[in-house]
Amino acid sequence: MGSAETPVIEVAGLTKRYTGVVAVDDVSLSVRTGQIYALLGLNGAGKTTLIRLLLGMIAPTAGVVRVLGADVSAGDRSAWARVGYLVEAAAAYPELTVRENLEVVRRLRRLPGSADDIIERLALTSYADRRARTLSLGNLQRLALARALIHAPDLLILDEPGNALDPAGVAEIRLLLADLAHQHGTTVLLSSHLLAEVARLATRIGILHHGHLVGEHDADQLDHHRRRHLHLATPDDQAAQALLHAHGYHPEPATPTGLLLSDPRALAGPAQVATILVHGGVPPTELHLEEEDLEALFLRTVAPETEEGIGYA
Ligand code: ATP
């Protein structure tokens, strides 16, 4: 178990149907040791439901889940000793201090030592003696992560771990998770609705939409999927278009004015485009490379029928 060949998480044909909605619809995926796998989806895509299925918190309507080599069925907690998780709002005993909260978890898990190591690791030292109910949301989230990590799990499953954290907190968690995966071989599965954020952390990204897994990408391949074009402003767009056409390019009118070129030759050699226009008597007044951002790529993937950003909540 846990070898590079045996997936840490294996999901096949997984479906969860509620009255009137299929929250997770025939999803199959696998996550390998040491991977940071991000489930990406808009609100209501089915991320939390899928995570709860992985943890055996709810029973599937159909399909199979294997975690760390063992079948997961609702109520079966056998793999949980090696799994850390954070699902839903960060839960803590409000009247206990941060240290007491973690001591409870440590004793329940029969771990030796003290909670001080994990308190330090999650930058909670200065809050260790504060009651949980007085913590900010960000620090509550840190406490929840400390609970998830206290037993050095092989697999960490986190539902929207960046929620409630400020940008510095998000960056801190990113470093912590990257360190766990790279230094300790911990496998991480997390969910998020922010592609730009997970692209900086995840090694593989699965896109969930209306319960379907609509795409999977290696994070380092994402760049290849972005749309790029050269945007030109000229004194006479019609003349410039005809000129570029005559040189084998395929310019399109831009809105409200100007031209767009997405020929690979134009993207690789903007100077040549400028030279043609200068020699043809329509020198460009502007020429720049525009690149689709990651959120636009994500929205295009989940809603190919719309080119622009769409009104999802
Ligand atoms: P969010 O980012 O908003 O948390 P999500 O991607 O985690 O969204 P889920 O919470 O898994 O999405 O919900 C997926 C769909 O299943 C939604 O349409 C939701 O209303 C529905 N759903 C989830 N849990 C239940 C339930 N217990 N009973 C009925 N419908 C449910």
Side-chain angles (χ1 to χ4, degrees):
M1 265 188 295
S3 73
E5 293 76 31
T6 314
V8 177
I9 298 175
E10 259 182 298
V11 168
L14 194 63
T15 298
K16 179 68 184 181
R17 193 173 290 126
Y18 293 109
T19 316
V21 59
V22 187
V24 171
D25 197 351
D26 196 19
V27 167
S28 300
L29 60 83
S30 68
V31 180
R32 293 195 306 274
T33 306
Q35 253 182 355
I36 302 181
Y37 189 104
L39 278 174
L40 187 74
L42 302 167
N43 291 134
K47 306 178 295 292
T48 302
T49 306
L50 181 49
I51 283 179
R52 300 182 85 204
L53 288 164
L54 292 179
L55 290 167
M57 290 176 169
I58 51 175
T61 308
V64 182
V65 180
R66 283 176 75 77
V67 168
L68 294 162
D71 282 343
V72 172
S73 53
D76 178 0
R77 295 172 168 244
S78 55
W80 285 24
R82 297 168 57 205
V83 180
Y85 66 94
L86 189 164
V87 189
E88 292 153 353
Y93 298 108
E95 295 304 326
L96 298 188
T97 65
V98 166
R99 181 178 283 110
E100 287 164 348
N101 262 284
L102 291 168
E103 279 298 331
V104 169
V105 181
R106 187 183 68 76
R107 285 189 213 137
L108 277 174
R109 289 198 174 270
R110 299 173 205 278
L111 303 171
S114 82
D116 285 347
D117 284 354
I118 196 74
I119 287 174
E120 203 170 305
R121 217 149 138 224
L122 273 292
L124 283 165
T125 308
S126 51
Y127 303 94
D129 297 315
R130 288 262 296 268
R131 287 178 203 265
R133 71 173 159 79
T134 69
L135 294 178
S136 67
L137 278 178
N139 282 328
L140 258 185
Q141 188 78 342
R142 273 207 189 83
L143 173 56
L145 270 171
R147 291 162 54 116
L149 284 169
I150 195 168
H151 57 304
D154 294 333
L155 171 63
L156 194 56
I157 297 182
L158 308 170
D159 194 13
E160 301 266 1
N163 262 4
L165 294 177
D166 58 24
V170 169
E172 225 173 84
I173 299 302
R174 191 192 312 132
L175 284 178
L176 177 80
L177 296 180
D179 178 66
L180 280 170
H182 300 140
Q183 307 297 325
H184 303 276
T186 308
T187 307
V188 180
L189 178 134
L190 56 89
S191 73
S192 175
H193 58 278
L194 296 172
L195 176 55
E197 178 52 41
V198 300
R200 303 174 71 179
L201 168 67
T203 51
R204 193 154 170 82
I205 296 172
I207 299 175
L208 211 56
H209 191 52
H210 293 318
H212 296 279
L213 191 68
V214 294
E216 276 188 302
H217 300 289
D218 283 328
D220 57 6
Q221 297 297 308
L222 271 182
D223 255 4
H224 299 304
H225 298 280
R226 290 199 209 196
R227 283 186 181 161
R228 293 180 175 79
H229 49 238
L230 215 55
H231 192 157
L232 296 170
T234 76
D236 181 344
D237 288 344
Q238 269 191 345
Q241 189 167 10
L243 189 60
L244 289 170
H245 231 281
H247 282 81
Y249 292 95
H250 300 87
E252 304 275 345
T255 349
T257 60
L259 297 173
L260 296 179
L261 278 174
S262 44
D263 307 72
R265 187 158 66 103
L267 297 174
Q272 202 179 350
V273 173
T275 306
I276 291 167
L277 291 172
V278 169
H279 288 168
V282 271
T285 52
E286 247 181 71
L287 182 155
H288 58 265
L289 185 67
E290 286 179 349
E291 201 169 44
E292 180 179 48
D293 71 22
L294 285 172
E295 296 308 333
L297 168 64
F298 169 40
L299 290 173
R300 181 160 61 79
T301 308
V302 297
E305 66 274 13
T306 51
E307 284 294 312
E308 311 282 330
I310 39 178
Y312 280 91

